[in-house]
Amino acid sequence: MAVDQTTITQLEGTPVQYEGGLARPAQSYWSESWERLRGSHFGMFFGGVLVVLAVIAITAPLFSAFVTHLAPTSVNLNDSFAPFSRAHPLGTDELGRDTLTRLVYGARVSLGVGFLTVAIYLLIGGSVGISAGFYGGWWDDLLMRFVDILLAIPTIYLLIMITSMLPLPIGPIIIRHDAFSLSTIIAITVWGTVARLVRGEVLTVKNRDFILATRSIGASNLRLMLRHLLPNVLPVMIVAASLGVGQIILLEAALDFIGLGVQPPTASWGNMLLNAQSYFYHSTSLVILPGICIVLAVLSANIFGNAVRDAFDPRLK
Amino acid sequence: MSTEAPARPKLTKAWTAAEPILEVRGLKTYFPVTAGMLQRTVAHVRAVDGVDLTVRQGETLGLVGESGCGKSTLGRSILRLVEPTEGQVIFKGEDLTRLGAAEMRRVRRDMAMIFQDPYASLDPRQTVGEIIGEPLDIHHLYTNKRQRQERIHELLRVVGLNPNFNNRYPHEFSGGQRQRIGIARALAVDPSFIVCDEPISALDVSIQAQIINLLERLQDQFNLTYLFIAHDLSVVKHISDRIAVMYLGKVVELAAAGELYRSPKHPYTGSLLSAIPIPDPKVERGRQRIILKGDVPSPVNPPSGCRFRTRCFKAQDKCAQEVPPLDTVDGHEAACFFPLQGDER
């Protein structure tokens, strides 16, 4: 067949009846879901809190340079356990380090690890789930049995086991207790659930006719997975990720608290708590302030995550 | 304004239009039945069990049969959307069953498929433009964005849809409109052969006629060859040049459309035709229908000899012992030892 100029003229010569007419503007799944999310004021408020925390975390160096004029690790032993004042709005700790500056830097660790971990485990869980579901057979069996084993070990024990081996030299690089390594380690221990969810969804999607139709026009397996399966399982991944951030922030704080997470003098909310428990009777605010930060971040992440799930889950429509 | 028609894919073997465009030889497609912990294969569903067919350039070959007789599997095996177990599919002189994955993708530019369910056959996350444009991208037919866009508009116009619909999503359309989108996608790669897998059976009766007319118009316009799978006998009679009747994975009769309806040779064809209701109560009351006994046997364990013998009113001992070959009987091809005579229809 050749749709050339002659056929077009032929077609336009005969009055072509166009089917139907639509008044409503086109709406994709994404814009529709975004509308729903915007409609949830409660969720959007806590989403806003999360954004504010993220902005503070990103701009922490500016904050320390221009607002408190103190570095998070600058020690001043003459000024230990200072009360709230203009110089130290939230007081100081036992080494005279400014609490507000340390909390702001702590936000970098908590939120950074929270979001980065979720991104990494979506990547691992998504790829494993999609390829296992798509190819099936022995590949599926192999991957899913591995996931079974992973899920059979309690996450926190696995984390303690791995983090207690740090610093761990692997070839030329040494894995330390930094935020990036922690994110990777946490992601490696928790991706199993996402992989299972995604695989299940792929199994239902891959038997729909449009996959066959796309294959019939010559699409490669990679194209089918990335262009057709991924967009169709993305809602499930978003729903799985929405409640993940809060959970990961809590998990990272717990690791810091037992001394296996981010190491002092780098400030994190978890290790500030660990440090402060020795001075609980001396300075209660040192315990309460990081605690409030953790609660606020986790609460915001969870409430916003709930709203995202409600907006994006096609089954809840 | 015109976008150039994409050049035809190169064939490795010379092929002339005088030869049949498609030849299916001894095609078998079995699906394994597994059981137990180790997923051992205990049996096979013989969905397509030794089919020989020839499709001529420019014709419409109708393929009819009841649900589960393997007609859709045959259509899919021809396009290798389902891997055939045995046999050859010779398309324009090239055996498709021997091609590697990359070569097969190249051949897919010359053949296409239209699906039964217009709701399931379009990706809900793609816009109409993306759906129709995808084959163009896969085969790198247009590097120029504007030409690609024009081609998509053209295709929409060709199937009778408003070109401005290209950024809408499938869920915004009716069943008939979606089927038109599916047809536009099939036409995008400029194929010469299209498998229509019950393209109208999921549509309203009023829409069915529109789609049939569209398919006929496109066939004339673009010199297409159709393999038209259906279970609605009157529709098949209308659109087909020749008709093949399938029963339990085998072709039992093949003849020119009018000829098949006028004088069926195989008892199964006879019983199928007698099931077409006649829209006249008087005639309907008076006529004799051939009522078959029992159900279709399982394709896992088909009957010996002729597969239809368990339900056939003419079956004899010979039918259980030998498999009737697809022989020429009065200009028909029929696989029966005791074909219907004039007075039996």
Side-chain angles (χ1 to χ4, degrees):
Chain A
M1 128 194 162
V3 184
D4 52 19
Q5 190 57 57
T6 17
T7 41
I8 298 171
T9 0
Q10 272 169 12
L11 280 169
E12 282 167 353
T14 55
V16 175
Q17 292 291 309
Y18 293 138
E19 271 263 312
L22 295 159
R24 203 161 58 84
Q27 217 182 12
S28 71
Y29 160 80
W30 302 111
S31 67
E32 210 180 319
S33 301
W34 171 240
E35 289 294 314
R36 266 201 302 275
L37 181 59
R38 267 204 343 204
S40 152
H41 299 299
F42 193 58
M44 284 307 277
F45 173 77
F46 282 96
V49 173
L50 216 50
V51 169
V52 170
L53 285 175
V55 168
I56 291 174
I58 292 164
T59 58
L62 296 174
F63 193 87
S64 120
F66 298 109
V67 182
T68 61
H69 305 290
L70 286 164
T73 49
S74 61
V75 174
N76 181 357
L77 291 175
N78 292 329
D79 214 3
S80 59
F81 299 118
F84 296 0
S85 64
R86 285 199 59 183
H88 302 293
L90 295 177
T92 60
D93 64 7
E94 81 282 6
L95 298 176
R97 295 176 296 195
D98 184 60
T99 307
L100 181 60
T101 314
R102 289 183 68 76
L103 284 177
V104 166
Y105 270 85
R108 301 194 108 186
V109 174
S110 287
L111 294 176
V113 170
F115 285 103
L116 187 61
T117 306
V118 169
I120 299 173
Y121 83 58
L122 281 186
L123 194 70
I124 306 176
S127 339
V128 169
I130 289 178
S131 74
F134 181 76
Y135 288 109
W138 65 269
W139 177 243
D140 183 28
D141 285 341
L142 183 79
L143 291 175
M144 285 303 120
R145 290 306 80 75
F146 185 72
V147 168
D148 286 344
I149 294 167
L150 196 67
L151 291 178
I153 307 167
T155 311
I156 191 74
Y157 292 126
L158 203 55
L159 275 176
I160 290 172
M161 196 186 84
I162 299 174
T163 49
S164 58
M165 293 190 295
L166 302 183
L168 182 70
I170 295 179
I173 46 167
I174 300 169
I175 299 178
R176 299 173 195 282
H177 288 95
D178 56 88
F180 184 78
S181 306
L182 284 176
S183 299
T184 315
I185 291 166
I186 298 174
I188 286 172
T189 58
V190 297
W191 59 268
T193 356
V194 181
R196 259 223 193 131
L197 268 172
V198 169
R199 173 186 171 266
E201 192 69 10
V202 166
L203 289 183
T204 68
V205 174
K206 82 163 182 179
N207 286 322
R208 309 246 302 271
D209 272 354
F210 70 82
I211 294 296
L212 212 56
T214 314
R215 204 188 278 285
S216 81
I217 55 172
S220 60
N221 286 340
L222 195 66
R223 186 182 193 95
L224 280 172
M225 285 190 273
L226 292 181
R227 295 282 180 90
H228 296 274
L229 289 178
L230 183 62
N232 279 284
V233 299
L234 212 50
V236 178
M237 288 170 72
I238 290 173
V239 171
S242 63
L243 296 176
V245 177
Q247 192 198 336
I248 300 299
I249 291 175
L250 215 49
L251 203 56
E252 190 273 333
L255 271 183
D256 289 352
F257 188 72
I258 56 177
L260 291 169
V262 175
Q263 300 295 306
T266 308
S268 84
W269 294 342
N271 70 27
M272 285 171 77
L273 268 182
L274 167 64
N275 186 45
Q277 67 170 345
S278 324
Y279 311 104
F280 188 64
Y281 292 104
H282 208 83
S283 174
T284 321
S285 68
L286 279 182
V287 178
I288 293 174
L289 291 171
I292 288 176
C293 288
I294 293 173
V295 169
L296 186 67
V298 173
L299 192 72
S300 308
N302 282 351
I303 292 175
F304 182 65
N306 253 321
V308 168
R309 190 199 55 203
D310 290 348
F312 283 81
D313 196 337
R315 275 173 285 253
L316 293 179
K317 263 190 228 173
Chain B
M1 276 300 282
S2 101
T3 51
E4 272 163 47
R8 286 239 171 254
K10 296 234 165 30
L11 288 164
T12 47
K13 216 184 124 183
W15 174 81
T16 54
E19 293 174 52
I21 189 164
L22 177 83
E23 248 186 293
V24 176
R25 288 184 199 154
L27 195 73
K28 293 182 180 177
T29 304
Y30 291 178
F31 297 109
V33 179
T34 55
M37 262 248 305
L38 296 172
Q39 299 289 296
R40 272 181 316 116
T41 302
V42 291
H44 285 102
V45 175
R46 304 173 176 206
V48 176
D49 201 4
V51 164
D52 299 287
L53 271 184
T54 305
V55 186
R56 296 171 196 149
Q57 165 76 39
E59 78 167 345
T60 299
L61 179 68
L63 186 62
V64 291
E66 58 200 298
S67 303
C69 72
K71 44 189 202 305
S72 282
T73 306
L74 175 59
R76 288 171 185 194
S77 304
I78 289 173
L79 293 188
R80 270 186 67 191
L81 295 176
V82 169
E83 281 304 319
T85 314
E86 225 182 281
Q88 289 178 304
V89 177
I90 295 155
F91 178 71
K92 292 193 172 175
E94 221 176 349
D95 186 357
L96 300 187
T97 57
R98 288 190 186 174
L99 298 184
E103 284 177 302
M104 193 57 216
R105 281 206 296 278
R106 167 184 58 81
V107 174
R108 291 195 189 289
R109 254 199 69 189
D110 210 17
M111 48 207 313
M113 184 153 182
I114 298 168
F115 289 81
Q116 174 177 16
D117 185 352
Y119 291 86
S121 62
L122 304 175
D123 187 341
R125 298 277 179 271
Q126 282 188 311
T127 62
V128 171
E130 285 165 353
I131 292 170
I132 301 173
E134 188 162 27
L136 304 179
D137 299 339
I138 288 173
H139 298 285
H140 312 290
L141 297 188
Y142 295 94
T143 44
N144 184 325
K145 265 199 176 137
R146 208 176 57 93
Q147 280 186 357
R148 179 180 172 278
Q149 199 55 38
E150 270 172 29
R151 169 76 172 163
I152 291 170
H153 284 180
E154 255 171 46
L155 284 160
L156 282 168
R157 240 178 275 135
V158 162
V159 297
L161 286 171
N162 189 330
N164 298 328
F165 287 172
N166 83 85
N167 56 4
R168 293 178 187 278
Y169 287 85
H171 70 259
E172 300 174 81
F173 293 90
S174 69
Q177 287 174 322
R178 288 181 193 211
Q179 199 57 292
R180 286 170 192 264
I181 298 167
I183 294 171
R185 170 177 56 194
L187 290 177
V189 286
D190 185 20
S192 47
F193 173 66
I194 299 182
V195 173
C196 306
D197 188 3
E198 307 205 23
I200 55 158
S201 58
L203 304 175
D204 276 0
V205 178
S206 56
I207 308 295
Q208 289 187 352
Q210 293 179 14
I211 297 296
I212 286 292
N213 291 339
L214 173 66
L215 287 172
E216 288 191 315
R217 197 192 83 209
L218 294 172
Q219 179 164 38
D220 292 344
Q221 210 169 343
F222 304 124
N223 190 24
L224 299 171
T225 307
Y226 289 149
L227 176 65
F228 194 93
I229 303 170
H231 54 235
D232 184 329
L233 291 161
S234 25
V235 168
V236 173
K237 184 185 179 186
H238 174 77
I239 197 168
S240 307
D241 298 308
R242 291 189 307 145
I243 296 175
V245 181
M246 258 183 103
Y247 183 79
L248 216 60
K250 274 187 177 300
V251 171
V252 294
E253 185 160 4
L254 202 159
E259 184 57 27
L260 186 95
Y261 279 76
R262 212 174 308 115
S263 64
K265 290 287 180 282
H266 198 283
Y268 179 61
T269 317
S271 70
L272 273 186
L273 294 179
S274 87
I276 303 176
I278 298 164
D280 179 345
K282 279 182 195 155
V283 183
E284 182 72 30
R285 233 176 278 132
R287 81 193 174 109
Q288 279 285 310
R289 279 202 52 198
I290 304 170
I291 311 275
L292 295 179
K293 308 169 276 191
D295 287 320
V296 186
S298 161
V300 175
N301 202 1
S304 63
C306 171
R307 302 196 160 191
F308 185 57
R309 69 173 165 88
T310 52
R311 305 171 73 195
C312 185
F313 54 96
K314 294 192 80 175
Q316 296 183 22
D317 288 348
K318 190 185 180 190
C319 302
Q321 284 143 15
E322 286 174 53
V323 181
L326 197 60
D327 273 341
T328 308
V329 185
D330 306 340
H332 285 219
E333 281 181 63
C336 186
F337 293 123
F338 311 102
L340 295 177
Q341 306 300 320
D343 55 336
E344 284 176 305
R345 303 161 198 135

